[in-house]
Amino acid sequence: MVQMYLSGMEDVFAGEEVAALKAQVLSAKSVVVTSHRSPDGDAIGSSLALKHMFSAMGVPCAVVMPDAYAKFLHWMPGHEEVRFHDAEPEAASALVSSAEVLFCLDYNAPSRAGGLMDAVNQACANAKSSVVMIDHHQEPEDFADIMLSDSSTGSTCELIYRLLQAWEMQGALDSDLASCLYCGLITDTGSFRFSSVQPSSHDMASALLATGMNHSRIHSLIYDAYRLEQVQLTAYALSQKLQVFPEHRCAVISLSQDELLHYNAQKGDTEGLVNRALSIEGINFAAFMKEDDGRVKISLRSRGSFSVRDVAAEHFNGGGHHNAAGGACEGESLHSVLDRMVALIPTWSDDLQYDD
């Protein structure tokens, strides 16, 4: 396959290849949209938004996720049609590997697709398939035919909105499509407080609000839907499992599988814990880690100049953004990963001695 990479230094949606992609989608017999393992609001929001765009074009489309996502995202229009690899691995893999046009949203390497990785690689190797990556993470692998990558953008939903504009489909922007885009926009920009927010982010929000979508309801469904056990888990994590290293301006929270089971933790219950650690006065780097199906999953956050993306890539098999990243350590114990983190923290201390 001929590889084409469009750099974030230019308008990635201005090229002829993007216009040709619309024609290709219109004529395709099978179009499939995928996203990364443990889908978040931006992953599922961008995927369902793209599905709504294709529906407006009269193009059937399957959305296939590696695994389930948090219940607080189930309100999104189109959720009931999503297929999951962990629930039907053979059928899901067949859809992805045989797609005439395969979209890979919010991830920049096949390894991020979890159980769908092999199927994505098969599609990449299939001369009859066209693979399109749309993503905002740094340092993408060169795996797709069309790579629409812009790491300066705060969310993949913003890139889908730019695709809608490039395809001159503003007329398709109804409240359902807008609701999906708004979900990814607010979750990946921290409700517009992260440094990745640009004037165009607010311009997009204005256009979405003009459709009549209920932004207040969406925010409530995402951020005000805590179960009692989730609140109790948060209280336990902050009161019993939070380690603060004020001399190094770091904080770490860790939760074992037994602790998660004790509070009947569900997908999404620990989201935001790392941000609570970062919100402590004087803290510039925060980490949250938990045991998760034979691996230790890690979320990293920072404020200012310290790059958690570099930390994730160098030490925890991960990646992401400058101030928000993650990783996973397969086959390691929580104790081992936590000890490694604590041992590394003093080596970063000099780089963390600053005020915003």
Side-chain angles (χ1 to χ4, degrees):
M1 296 186 293
V2 177
Q3 299 288 326
M4 187 274 292
Y5 174 66
L6 297 176
S7 166
M9 298 301 291
E10 59 185 286
D11 182 356
V12 299
F13 295 97
E16 295 180 1
E17 296 85 355
V18 173
L21 177 61
K22 181 180 182 181
Q24 186 177 10
V25 167
L26 285 167
S27 63
K29 295 180 180 178
S30 62
V31 178
V32 176
V33 177
T34 65
S35 194
H36 57 75
R37 181 178 182 174
S38 300
D40 56 11
D42 194 28
I44 190 63
S46 60
S47 297
L48 289 176
L50 192 57
K51 177 178 174 60
H52 286 298
M53 285 176 56
F54 292 152
S55 294
M57 296 163 62
V59 176
C61 163
V63 176
V64 182
M65 294 289 133
D67 49 19
Y69 43 86
K71 188 177 180 181
F72 63 77
L73 297 173
H74 288 189
W75 58 268
M76 271 190 278
H79 153 73
E80 65 282 351
E81 298 180 50
V82 178
R83 308 280 293 271
F84 299 97
H85 179 269
D86 61 348
E88 44 177 348
E90 292 185 5
S93 292
L95 280 170
V96 171
S97 62
S98 63
E100 187 172 336
V101 183
L102 175 66
F103 284 85
C104 302
L105 304 187
D106 203 37
Y107 66 100
N108 62 5
S111 60
R112 307 296 185 201
L116 288 173
M117 179 181 68
D118 289 342
V120 171
N121 281 326
Q122 288 172 24
C124 292
N126 185 352
K128 296 181 180 179
S129 295
S130 290
V131 179
V132 183
M133 186 204 79
I134 303 178
D135 179 62
H136 67 124
H137 296 92
Q138 293 177 314
E139 299 183 359
E141 289 186 9
D142 189 17
F143 72 96
D145 298 291
I146 298 176
M147 299 180 64
L148 303 174
S149 174
D150 187 348
S151 61
S152 68
T153 299
S155 67
T156 295
C157 276
E158 291 175 77
L159 299 180
I160 297 300
Y161 180 70
R162 287 163 59 185
L163 179 65
L164 178 144
Q165 292 176 310
W167 284 357
E168 298 182 344
M169 291 185 60
Q170 289 89 336
L173 186 61
D174 60 11
S175 60
D176 283 351
L177 199 165
S179 296
C180 295
L181 289 174
Y182 192 71
C183 176
L185 177 62
I186 63 173
T187 54
D188 252 35
T189 64
S191 297
F192 303 101
R193 73 180 188 273
F194 294 162
S195 60
S196 57
V197 172
Q198 304 172 14
S200 59
S201 307
H202 291 282
D203 290 341
M204 172 181 167
S206 177
L208 300 183
L209 287 170
T211 67
M213 68 159 198
N214 191 336
H215 69 95
S216 179
R217 175 178 177 269
I218 292 171
H219 195 279
S220 181
L221 287 169
I222 295 172
Y223 295 112
D224 302 327
Y226 294 111
R227 298 175 301 109
L228 175 59
E229 289 170 313
Q230 182 180 1
V231 174
Q232 292 171 331
L233 174 62
T234 299
Y236 171 75
L238 294 176
S239 64
Q240 303 297 319
K241 300 305 300 289
L242 172 65
Q243 297 176 262
V244 180
F245 306 87
E247 70 277 20
H248 305 306
R249 310 191 75 164
C250 298
V252 180
I253 300 174
S254 60
L255 289 172
S256 69
Q257 190 69 53
D258 287 343
E259 290 167 327
L260 293 166
L261 288 172
H262 179 77
Y263 291 98
N264 190 30
Q266 300 178 12
K267 276 187 176 290
D269 279 3
T270 58
E271 287 196 24
L273 276 178
V274 67
N275 294 320
R276 298 294 293 271
L278 186 64
S279 70
I280 298 170
E281 184 178 9
I283 297 301
N284 286 331
F285 167 73
F288 168 69
M289 58 184 70
K290 66 176 181 178
E291 290 181 323
D292 180 56
D293 295 331
R295 62 177 184 159
V296 176
K297 187 175 180 181
I298 304 164
S299 296
L300 305 173
R301 298 291 185 272
S302 68
R303 66 176 92 246
S305 61
F306 187 74
S307 172
V308 291
R309 185 193 65 80
D310 292 345
V311 170
E314 292 173 18
H315 302 287
F316 300 106
N317 307 309
H321 306 288
H322 180 81
N323 293 126
C329 299
E330 301 283 349
E332 283 195 66
S333 69
L334 179 66
H335 182 74
S336 171
V337 178
L338 179 59
D339 282 351
R340 185 160 78 251
M341 176 70 75
V342 172
L344 285 166
I345 283 174
T347 70
W348 303 323
S349 186
D350 288 347
D351 295 329
L352 287 162
Q353 303 302 320
Y354 56 83
D355 296 309
D356 283 342

